[in-house]
Amino acid sequence: METASHVSTRTLPTLMDAPTPTFIPHHSPRLDVRWASSEEEVREAQSLRYRIFAGEMGAQLPSPSGALPELDIDRFDPFCDHLLVQAIVPGQEPRKMLVGTYRVLTPSAARRAGGFYTDTEFDLTPLTRLREHAVELGRSCVHPAWRSGVVIMALWSALGDYMRTHQLDTMIGCASVGLSDGGQTANNLWHSLRVDHLVAPQWQVRPHIALPLESKSTPPVAANRMADTPPLIKGYLRCGARLLGPPALDLAFNTADLPMMLQLEHLAPRYRKHFFGN
């Protein structure tokens, strides 16, 4: 959610140079879902993240000292598990192409890292008693040719297994909205979605640097509140996720970040099979 270490110098092509798939992604693609087990696989995830966040969204990504160029790397990466979805590209010599990734930070790993990434943007004090069983999802991204939903479903299925294996019951993270329009979309989303999707007052968190918000005296009627919601956020909300509070301003990524939480006890029945296969 956010919007999820080790590492070779091999990187994937840039967005502009990425080959057009020789197959149609939404027609029964062959996908390999796995957790990164080598430095090279984590590098590929960091490369995909860089191409999406910097190349597509215009983020100004800080680079740790000594880091290789065109990789999205931060201090949390070494503490995270990195989930990968690779497409099997057919041919005489089939190859794998990374098309989606999440990084996942468990409570014990967060203690070693000095907190969740979300702590850097929000005061999470109201969630204190939930943290021991909460996992943070972050750095989620999907290759632009693969945004039909099948990759997200594959990611969510693997996350469900992960939650069950680690005996975790809560997911937290940020859903990011670009600021190319000066923040109008993020402003409208907050005022629209808070009506039906905001957590109870005792769980609400506050941003350290808040996105300046315009007042909206008349929110859209219920039937239209989801109309302009980005697909990933819409998917989270339909699963049962809730907004934790107003958006934070992330200047480095040029985004407004909406804090979100999904407790498995509130997972919508129709989506349980995507997480747990039943």
Side-chain angles (χ1 to χ4, degrees):
M1 194 176 294
E2 189 171 41
T3 123
S5 269
H6 328 287
V7 208
S8 158
T9 58
R10 183 162 71 97
T11 59
L12 300 174
T14 65
L15 281 173
M16 293 72 73
D17 298 332
T20 300
T22 56
F23 52 97
I24 300 174
H26 55 276
H27 284 172
S28 301
R30 294 178 57 208
L31 298 177
D32 179 34
V33 184
R34 57 184 290 115
W35 295 93
S37 59
S38 68
E39 293 184 353
E40 181 175 10
E41 288 181 332
V42 174
R43 279 287 153 96
E44 289 186 354
Q46 293 166 336
S47 177
L48 178 63
R49 284 162 30 185
Y50 183 90
R51 290 186 289 121
I52 300 300
F53 300 140
E56 185 175 339
M57 298 174 61
Q60 300 297 312
L61 301 178
S63 230
S65 176
L68 295 173
E70 297 193 351
L71 296 174
D72 169 38
I73 302 174
D74 71 9
R75 70 177 183 86
F76 293 93
D77 273 333
F79 301 95
C80 294
D81 292 326
H82 299 262
L83 181 57
L84 314 174
V85 177
Q86 297 170 312
I88 311 300
V89 181
Q92 287 188 337
E93 295 185 9
R95 62 186 179 87
K96 292 183 177 181
M97 174 182 178
L98 186 66
V99 296
T101 185
Y102 259 112
R103 75 176 187 188
V104 179
L105 188 60
T106 63
S108 58
R111 287 193 293 273
R112 297 194 301 274
F116 290 126
Y117 177 88
T118 311
D119 284 303
T120 68
E121 294 197 80
F122 298 90
D123 177 2
L124 299 184
T125 302
L127 306 183
T128 298
R129 75 177 182 86
L130 300 178
R131 293 180 72 116
E132 277 306 302
H133 296 282
V135 65
E136 180 183 62
L137 308 182
R139 290 301 205 270
S140 62
C141 61
V142 176
H143 189 286
W146 285 82
R147 291 177 185 165
S148 64
V150 65
V151 173
I152 288 296
M153 291 298 103
L155 288 165
W156 284 356
S157 177
L159 288 171
D161 290 339
Y162 187 95
M163 298 281 288
R164 190 155 44 189
T165 299
H166 290 81
Q167 298 183 317
L168 302 167
D169 58 25
T170 301
M171 302 178 185
I172 63 171
C174 299
S176 299
V177 181
L179 296 177
S180 59
D181 62 355
Q184 194 61 51
T185 296
N187 182 80
N188 292 345
L189 276 173
W190 163 245
H191 285 292
S192 297
L193 299 180
R194 64 184 294 186
V195 177
D196 299 316
H197 300 285
L198 186 62
V199 294
Q202 67 266 29
W203 303 117
Q204 292 176 23
V205 305
R206 306 298 301 178
H208 296 312
I209 303 176
L211 176 74
L213 294 167
E214 302 171 8
S215 61
K216 274 233 180 233
S217 56
T218 308
V221 297
N224 295 326
R225 283 180 199 146
M226 296 282 278
D228 297 322
T229 303
L232 186 58
I233 298 178
K234 188 181 295 185
Y236 287 144
L237 296 175
R238 285 176 172 167
C239 282
R242 312 285 284 179
L243 294 178
L244 286 166
L249 180 62
D250 187 332
L251 294 174
F253 276 80
N254 193 37
T255 60
D257 293 343
L258 287 162
M260 304 190 74
M261 176 174 71
L262 174 59
Q263 294 175 287
L264 294 186
E265 63 179 315
H266 297 146
L267 183 62
R270 63 180 292 195
Y271 290 101
R272 291 193 70 83
K273 66 178 181 181
H274 295 309
F275 280 90
F276 303 120
N278 53 37

